[in-house]
Amino acid sequence: MTRKQVWGIAVAALVAGGALGYAVAAVQEDKTPQVTVGAPQSAASQVPTSRAELVKAWTAELEQAGKGLPEGWEMLTTDEIRGRYLHQRMRNAPTAEDIDPGMGRRVDE
C-alpha cells in the first residue's frame, strides 16, 4: 500500500465513523425532562441607581422592618447606601417557610 492509499483509508474511516456517530445520536430518544419556560424578565436592573432613588428605596425597606435611617447616614457614599439597601432587602425577603409553610414536610408522608 502506498502512503496515499493509507491516508485515503484513514480519511474514509474518519468520515464513516463521524457519519455513524451522527446516525446513532439522531435515533436515540431524548430522556431529559421537558423544560418549562417562564415569562421573560426585564433586562433593566430593579436596583435604583441614583443616590436619591437608593435613599428612598432603602427608607421603604427599613420602614417595612420597623426601622428608620441610621444616624449619620448622610455621610455614607452611594455605594455604601446601595450595599445597605440590598442587605435590608434580603433581610426583608420572605423565607421558604413563609412562601410554602409545608415545605419542610417529607415526600413519603
Side-chain angles (χ1 to χ4, degrees):
M1 284 183 128
T2 66
R3 188 174 235 160
K4 282 187 178 183
Q5 288 175 328
V6 171
W7 276 106
I9 292 171
V11 170
L14 183 65
V15 171
L20 179 63
Y22 179 77
V24 168
V27 298
Q28 285 185 344
E29 290 184 37
D30 186 12
K31 299 203 191 279
T32 59
Q34 292 280 336
V35 176
T36 57
V37 178
Q41 299 293 319
S42 171
S45 172
Q46 295 179 353
V47 177
T49 53
S50 73
R51 182 180 177 89
E53 291 172 338
L54 281 166
V55 170
K56 183 178 176 182
W58 184 30
T59 303
E61 290 292 336
L62 287 170
E63 286 175 358
Q64 184 179 350
K67 301 176 183 177
L69 287 170
E71 228 177 276
W73 70 268
E74 298 92 351
M75 302 300 284
L76 297 173
T77 66
T78 302
D79 284 338
E80 289 171 329
I81 292 172
R82 180 179 296 109
R84 290 184 180 208
Y85 159 68
L86 291 173
H87 178 261
Q88 189 61 49
R89 187 171 159 183
M90 293 299 292
R91 301 273 309 183
N92 290 352
T95 64
E97 195 63 30
D98 294 335
I99 295 169
D100 183 3
M103 193 169 185
R105 67 188 176 275
R106 292 181 50 158
V107 177
D108 57 354
E109 290 180 359

